[in-house]
Amino acid sequence: MLDKLKALTRQLNPVQRALEATQGLPSLTPVAAMEFIAGWLPQQQNLLEQPTRMQEALWGLDPLCRERLAAAASELMRGQLTRLRLQLYANAAQPYVQALYRAYLPCVQQYKLSLVQKPHELFPPHAGFLFWGTRRLVMEFITTRQAQQTQWRELYTAIPAILGEKLPASALPAARLALAQFCLVSSGLAAELEVRQVDIVDRLVGMLAPFVSFSQQPRSGIQYWLDIHQPHPPALVDLGKLPPPSNGLIYIQFERVLDELLSLETLIAQQAQLPTKLNFDGNLHRTEVLVTLRQLRDKWMGKVATRRHERKLMDKFVFLALDLPAIRRKVAGFEQAGTRTINLGIERARMEDISQSGIGLRVPAEAWAKVGLAVGIQVEGNPRWVVGVVRRLVNTQTANELHMGVEILSLTPQSIRLVEEARLTVWEQTNAGGALDNVFGVWIPPSVHSHEQAMLLLEKPEVVIGKSYGMYYHGHKGMIRIKDQVEVGDNFYRYTVDVVEALSASVEKAQELDF
């Protein structure tokens, strides 16, 4: 009889029911768990009407919900991104995030100290509200590429209590970090970011949030502002045109964030690996992270990406060389020398448009299609190979195809061999088979496409900054000094160089893409 009464009591206790309902979540797939919560939580009307009771339920529910969302995002990162996969992810995640956001809202709006008096509480309502508000913003951006539907006034309701330190001491640190993450994400989303990159941004801001600071007065350096009474996202501060005074005006300092971002980029490039804190599931790609770091830094600094040249529509088939050895073989013209045709690392694609700085291709949605990939490109029927780097990947209406944007680096690249300065006298005696100590790469002569800067593409970081090397190709000699490493790509390292002794070969003359 006592057991039956206990069971009846549990049935009548909405909080206990809520916690018991979450016990099965770890056994569900991420998508199934999200679908369950998205349908179940709005039905708990008696909880929604009692913010105190709802907060008790969310206290046990929140950690599991974050785990399930992170697991689903991890699956998205592992898989090849197609429109269909993205649609399935959005269909499951969007109502799930919205349900949790709406559940936290009354807890914050009708805030009572009794809600956060537990010293062991990990997710105070303000932190949880801003966390799911940030996720809501991210989902809105992923599905619509903009944030027009965001209810900024709702999100700003959490700010006065946080910055006014009106929360218990145990709740303030988590709430301030959640506010910092929200400000970083809302000001860092840009149209140039692809879906996988948005998840990278989400991870990065978790590492950078401790370096954000808030004030009621503008300071020097890069900073953003928001007004809690206005329905607008954070905006970059123009010191020459400050926003009108308001008792709800908040300034957000980004200077230390940008310093840490630059340090992280340098660390990744030097160590050739990603920090475990960022790549905790092993699903991130180093080049994709480096590209995202640069785009995020440019966005926070107020740099606007603009198209340099107009596009022209084009419809031709092209061949793509996907790794540096294949690119070297093609630009060297080994096939024309009578050797056997080598098609390893070669893919076929269709050119869709062209501009003075690059081309747009329609390619299969396969694992090799990555931002930061160096490619050799040959239009079918044209003997010339050019070299470029993949800068954009965009979903098309077709689930198994992507639109690839390639920046052209050179119209007349050369396959070259570097030798150390002391070995200049043995150039003619060294051949490809006996040059294992030499460095092979692709020479990018100065042109409008390389911003009049001579460069090298190497498969590995085998040269030393500041050191001079002899360069040899097609019977021509020269000497160069390695100036700086300017890019770490998916399959290459790019260096700028100074020409110490002029090459006997002519410089690049072609200045226009004329496929």
Side-chain angles (χ1 to χ4, degrees), residues 2 77 85 110 112 126 152 190 217 221 227 245 277 293 393 451 456 474 478:
L2 183 60
M77 295 294 290
R85 182 184 293 273
Q110 301 182 32
K112 297 178 181 178
H126 291 67
W152 299 100
Q217 299 295 328
D227 190 329
K277 187 177 180 180
L293 284 172
L393 283 174
H451 304 285
L456 281 174
H474 288 304

Side-chain angles (χ1 to χ4, degrees), residues 480-498:
I480 60 172
R481 180 179 295 110
I482 307 300
K483 188 175 179 181
D484 195 13
Q485 182 186 98
V486 292
E487 184 175 6
V488 178
D490 179 78
N491 58 347
F492 71 96
Y493 291 79
R494 181 157 64 104
Y495 295 86
T496 54
V497 301
D498 290 326

Side-chain angles (χ1 to χ4, degrees), residues 316-424:
K316 293 185 178 181
F317 280 108
V318 300
F319 295 103
L320 300 178
L322 303 181
D323 56 67
L324 215 58
I327 296 172
R328 287 184 49 250
R329 287 196 303 269
K330 296 302 181 182
V331 301
F334 287 162
E335 288 82 353
Q336 298 176 12
T339 59
R340 180 173 59 88
T341 299
I342 301 175
N343 288 321
L344 297 177
I346 303 297
E347 289 285 343
R348 186 175 168 131
R350 179 178 287 279
M351 184 189 301
E352 291 190 318
D353 53 64
I354 188 171
S355 72
Q356 284 302 100
S357 56
I359 62 176
L361 304 173
R362 185 179 290 266
V363 302
E366 297 180 1
W368 62 262
K370 301 174 183 176
V371 173
L373 182 77
V375 293
I377 304 172
Q378 181 194 48
V379 176
E380 193 171 36
N382 189 324
R384 181 171 61 170
W385 283 84
V386 303
V387 171
V389 178
V390 178
R391 298 303 186 194
R392 283 180 62 83
L393 283 174
V394 182
N395 290 293
T396 65
Q397 295 299 326
T398 306
N400 60 352
E401 287 187 320
L402 298 170
H403 180 82
M404 174 183 287
V406 181
E407 177 192 8
I408 298 299
L409 295 183
S410 177
L411 301 180
T412 57
Q414 295 288 340
S415 174
I416 56 96
R417 172 166 55 88
L418 299 182
V419 293
E420 294 188 17
E421 186 174 358
R423 299 185 63 187
L424 291 177

Side-chain angles (χ1 to χ4, degrees), residues 17-207:
R17 254 198 339 266
L19 297 180
E20 288 180 354
T22 66
Q23 291 178 357
L25 287 185
S27 63
L28 299 176
T29 65
V31 171
M34 291 195 298
E35 289 176 344
F36 170 77
I37 289 296
W40 171 83
L41 192 55
Q43 299 173 5
Q44 310 309 304
Q45 189 63 34
N46 52 349
L47 280 178
L48 294 172
E49 293 173 353
Q50 304 176 64
T52 303
R53 309 302 297 280
M54 174 54 78
Q55 170 59 21
E56 292 179 35
L58 289 171
W59 179 76
L61 185 66
D62 199 302
L64 289 173
C65 289
R66 297 189 188 210
E67 288 177 10
R68 296 293 86 191
L69 184 65
S74 181
E75 288 185 356
L76 182 70
M77 295 294 290
R78 281 200 303 272
Q80 183 64 34
L81 188 60
T82 64
R83 185 172 291 275
L84 177 60
R85 182 184 293 273
L86 174 59
Q87 191 65 44
L88 291 173
Y89 172 72
N91 287 346
Q94 199 164 21
Y96 171 80
V97 170
Q98 177 71 5
L100 285 153
Y101 172 79
R102 302 308 302 182
Y104 266 110
L105 182 57
C107 299
V108 171
Q109 290 178 331
Q110 301 182 32
Y111 172 69
K112 297 178 181 178
L113 287 178
S114 60
L115 298 181
V116 287
Q117 283 180 342
K118 299 178 181 178
H120 59 285
E121 187 165 11
L122 299 177
F123 303 103
H126 291 67
F129 176 61
L130 284 171
F131 175 86
W132 292 106
T134 303
R135 305 289 83 68
R136 183 174 178 268
L137 178 66
V138 166
M139 288 306 305
E140 184 180 331
F141 180 83
I142 287 176
T143 53
T144 66
R145 309 302 294 172
Q146 52 192 344
Q148 292 183 344
Q149 305 303 317
T150 297
Q151 301 297 316
W152 299 100
R153 278 199 180 95
E154 287 185 354
L155 287 161
Y156 292 164
T157 59
I159 295 179
I162 297 172
L163 297 185
E165 298 189 355
K166 296 178 181 178
L167 303 178
S170 61
L172 270 174
R176 288 182 70 93
L177 284 177
L179 174 59
Q181 286 184 253
F182 164 74
C183 292
L184 290 172
V185 170
S186 59
S187 58
L189 295 178
E192 296 77 28
L193 294 172
E194 304 304 331
V195 175
R196 286 171 55 88
Q197 292 179 289
V198 174
D199 189 68
I200 294 173
V201 169
D202 212 18
R203 299 186 189 199
L204 283 169
V205 299
M207 300 172 60

